[in-house]
Amino acid sequence: MSQQSLTLPATGPGSGAGSAKARRIRRVLELAGAAAIAGTYVFLVLTQPADIANGPASFSALVALGGFFLGAVLLIAAALPVLPTSTLVLMPVALVLNVVLGQLMGSTGLPFYFDAIGTVLIAVLAGPAAGAATGALSSIVWSFFNPTVLPFAAGAALIGFLAGLAARSGLFRRFYLAPVAGFVTGILAGVVSAPIAAFVFGGTAGLGTGALVSAFRAMGDTLLAAITKQALVSDPMDKAIVFAIAAMLVYALPRRTTVQFPFVRRFRVLAGTAPETPEA
Amino acid sequence: MAGAILAARICSFNFHGERAPALRDVDFSARPGTVTAVLGGSGSGKTTLGKLLAGWLRPGPAGRLRGSLALAGELLEFQGGEDDPRINPAAWSDRVGYVPQEAAAMLSTVRSTVAEELAFGLENRGTPRARMLREVAGIAELTGLTALLGRDPATLSGGELRRLAMACAVITGPGVLVLDEPLASLDAAGVIQVRDLICRLTGAGTAVVVLSQAADGLARSAAHWIILDGGTATATGTPRKLIRSAELARTGTVLPAVTCTVPAVRAQSPVPDTEPVLELEGVGFGFPGAGGAVHEPLLRNLGLTVRPGEIVAVTGRNGAGKSTLLRHFNGLLRPDTGTVRVAGQSFAGLPAGRAAASVGLLFQHPRDQLFERTVLREVSFGLRRLHGREAGSRAHEALETVGLSRDAATHPAELPASKQRLLALATVLARRPAVLALDEPTVGLDRHGLGRLDHAVSAAAARGAAVVLVTHDAAYARAAAHRVLELDGGCLRDA
Amino acid sequence: MPSTLPPLTSLTAAGCTAVITTAAGTWPLSLAVGLAAAVLAVRAGVGRRVLAAAAAVLLPLGLSLLMLHGLFFPEGRTVLAVWGPARVTAEGLTFALESGTRTGACVMVLLLFSFTVSAPDLVAALAGRGLPPQFGFVLASALTLLPAMAGRLDNIRAAQEARGLVLRGGMLSRLVGVRLQMVPLVLGLIEDSGSRAQALEARGFGGPGPRTSYREVADPPAGRRFRTALLLFAAAAVALRLAASWPVAGPS
């Protein structure tokens, strides 16, 4: 075994951050991922079949699957290799929390999904990049038990990313602002995910949401419009509650634990945490 | 420090966001081929020191270090600023291995066999496969894991897991090995195997550092002691010089030989003609197995009668069903056959939470039992419904009993392990249950904690509570209880 | 029971089958694929688990689709029945059937893959293909942690019941109870992950260098050729579908 140096080189932010070229490549991957998701969405809305009477459009399904999946993969490829190990080990935890806390909340009988609590929690502690990668990866792993969540990976990444942005801009410092941020996130995530539900699955998985879509359809909306409207009714409320639960959990954690996260210290994510004052 | 392979001079080390230093004025050095013991009570900073020495806590990302670390002839100076050297954790751990107290924390959780878990560190270093196979076989031989190479790490026993964690730490051949409480919660066989492994390692020239809150046989075999108290090294020297020192006595370090002789004969058993408060009759129980089949029953036709004021200890080997027995007292588990009566009343049909008013059960892992934001809120939880206006004074009284009055505003998770257990005990005591059931209450307690536990148990018995405690520590059982019973083959018999 | 196929081959087979079924978009094919997956699952000894998981996903979806398109399908022309605002149309029912069977086939095929693949083999194979080791870590670690959570949550619940917590009554008191259970679970997991990160770093996980693998996954050349063929076939199916219904020629 070659004896490496005991210390890391003095410059550069982290072991994996690498050169300017590597950073540029990552930036390109991130932009390409975001562009793939946005482009796919616009394309699907513009080209949605006017007449679906001949059966579900395989064309739109393939485009939706391909475009969103590509976007999610690009985002993961951009974020994953540079995340520090301390953030990486939180990702499986986020996934487990998404599943377990979702089930726990489901036992209260509230008619929402609650499937992003872990993702939001990790985004608040570790930042937007970690949140986005967590959201996308947790969809991929969760699809081992429920393959229908796989196409929603891009939407989950968006939720994690926006939660991280909200934390960075201090929205988790006031308890009442967290649900507001969740509400806005829900609007965006719901709209982006609607084409998946419409073109890939032809509807929604729950009976409650199905009834809502039926109501909009009865008023003569197209399928995509009906599902988008349904998402605008359910998702913002759902995400507002999820953000509130995540905020509650973060504040229930001991300060000693939360303050260990550089993201929390650097951007003063939580009330009462003083910004880092380097005394060199 | 001449001849030391690893040396540290810590002026201060602060975790981020904490004003009080976790460590202050600690000088440390370890020599090849010897055991160095760092002794101190719970919360004395042993683990922080160990992790700092091993590169698990890195100055910079983890906190602010002022001082220096010297490893294998290389000296690193830290001022606590941005220009400090940054430790490369992988390279550092090639030379200093660390095994945490919770051995499972060492596992990657991504490898499905013991062999692959051992190889994980080699894979990450790009070791060629042929050499990897050789090294895995070699380390398995050294640590006695050869027969277990194909097993899933999640299925190992405590002692096997500890040896696997040690093997993972030494597979890269470090010159220093730091072990955090290497003997904690091991049974006798496990202790012998781990001590034997430590002997082999020192024989091969490794400097072994043991962090311990007990001055047990392993610590006494050390060449050098460092006594930590409140994050500061209060004394260093040979065991012979320090074993009777005032500095050691001030810390919470447990001195096994001393505590074993303390047991003066307890107060006489309470008068036998009082009505029993806890009665088990013909209790049989087996966990349902996969597919609905019932496993071999754990408890069969078990009978137990405990009177008010009586302290009963239950011992038995691992897996004998001791914890299962305790969970029958408050209805967390229901017997397949027979009855459980508390104060003459059966809990059949009531939710387990209701039984908590009369039966207090202390679990093995305090972390699961605590959920509030402060110590005081934790103890006060649910008291108002039980005691009405007295709730506040009951809570303070319980905290006083376990010596946590001064920590009332602290977050429970920020307490050291020993105090967390005492807090869990206080939550049980505050409810003044008629039956107090304690599962392995001594594990993880330092000497101060043991004293508090002893005090609390006697006080509860004096007030007329029946106390049943389960322990693997036979000496403690004899010392603490009026009666010692052994659980064997599903039945209790006098030990 | 683990599959005898190399993990990459079964992954490719499942993925390509799902894509081809989606591209084809005819319900007889979807139904056949779903049934074939069910038969294979039963023969691999995981029939019960696959079917249970599939039912949990597909039943609500199926019912929802039937209600949605069966009763409300404004584009439908062949009206079979009318109840107030609801119109049962042949087109709506066909749409529900097409969507339901297509999703059903994909779900069955992917579940067949995930319940038969050996996760360690899959992770080793993916790492061997140059996927970042971080991906394998998240996948494998999550699959290890998930089954352990039920036990952990049980312990927490028991410990709290022993302190007099009774989870009964209305939604609000349940919500309070859930909060109390979440806190120890989240705190425990986050603290564990902190020390796991330190352990992984110490064992060289964060290092940039090349890695080797202890586990050897057999990957015979026949499997590789089979994968190439499947990928080409799936690509062709997608290309045909895209070309056939490119929307520029479609809606105005």
Side-chain angles (χ1 to χ4, degrees), chain A residues 1 17 36-37 66 91 93 121 149 155 157 163 166-168 172 222 277 279:
Chain A
M1 197 156 302
I37 293 170
M91 293 193 170
V93 169
L121 190 69
V149 303
R168 186 151 81 184
F172 278 81
T222 63
T277 44
E279 358 167 338

Side-chain angles (χ1 to χ4, degrees), chain B residues 51 56 89 93 106 109 112 116-117 123-127 129 133 168 332 352 356 367 369 371 378 381 431, chain C residues 120 137 141 144 152 159-165 191 198-199 201-204 210-216:
Chain B
K51 285 190 167 181
W56 277 42
S93 64
M106 187 81 187
T109 69
S112 56
E116 286 174 83
E117 187 65 52
E123 291 176 336
N124 290 329
R125 289 168 171 84
T127 313
R129 188 158 184 277
L133 292 175
C168 290
L332 280 175
R367 206 162 69 172
Q369 228 165 343
F371 41 74
E378 194 75 65
F381 174 81
R431 310 175 73 90
Chain C
F137 171 80
S141 184
T144 314
R152 198 156 178 167
Q160 300 191 347
E161 281 182 354
R163 287 187 53 189
L165 189 75
E191 281 188 345
Q198 294 169 346
E201 292 266 346
R203 298 176 74 190
R211 283 153 216 250
T212 47
S213 172
Y214 185 86
R215 181 177 278 259
E216 269 194 330

Side-chain angles (χ1 to χ4, degrees), chain A residues 211-277:
Chain A
L212 211 51
V213 179
S214 302
F216 289 119
R217 288 283 278 163
M219 294 178 228
D221 278 334
T222 63
L223 189 58
L224 179 61
I227 289 181
T228 305
K229 285 180 183 172
Q230 172 270 325
L232 286 178
V233 173
S234 337
D235 283 29
M237 200 57 205
D238 177 60
K239 294 301 169 294
I241 299 177
V242 164
F243 273 52
I245 295 172
M248 184 271 291
L249 285 173
V250 169
Y251 280 104
L253 295 179
R255 238 179 72 84
R256 188 179 288 176
T257 303
T258 48
V259 94
Q260 288 307 310
F261 292 93
F263 175 74
V264 173
R265 288 201 306 274
R266 183 150 166 236
F267 295 101
R268 208 161 72 79
V269 167
L270 303 174
T273 40
E276 188 82 329
T277 44

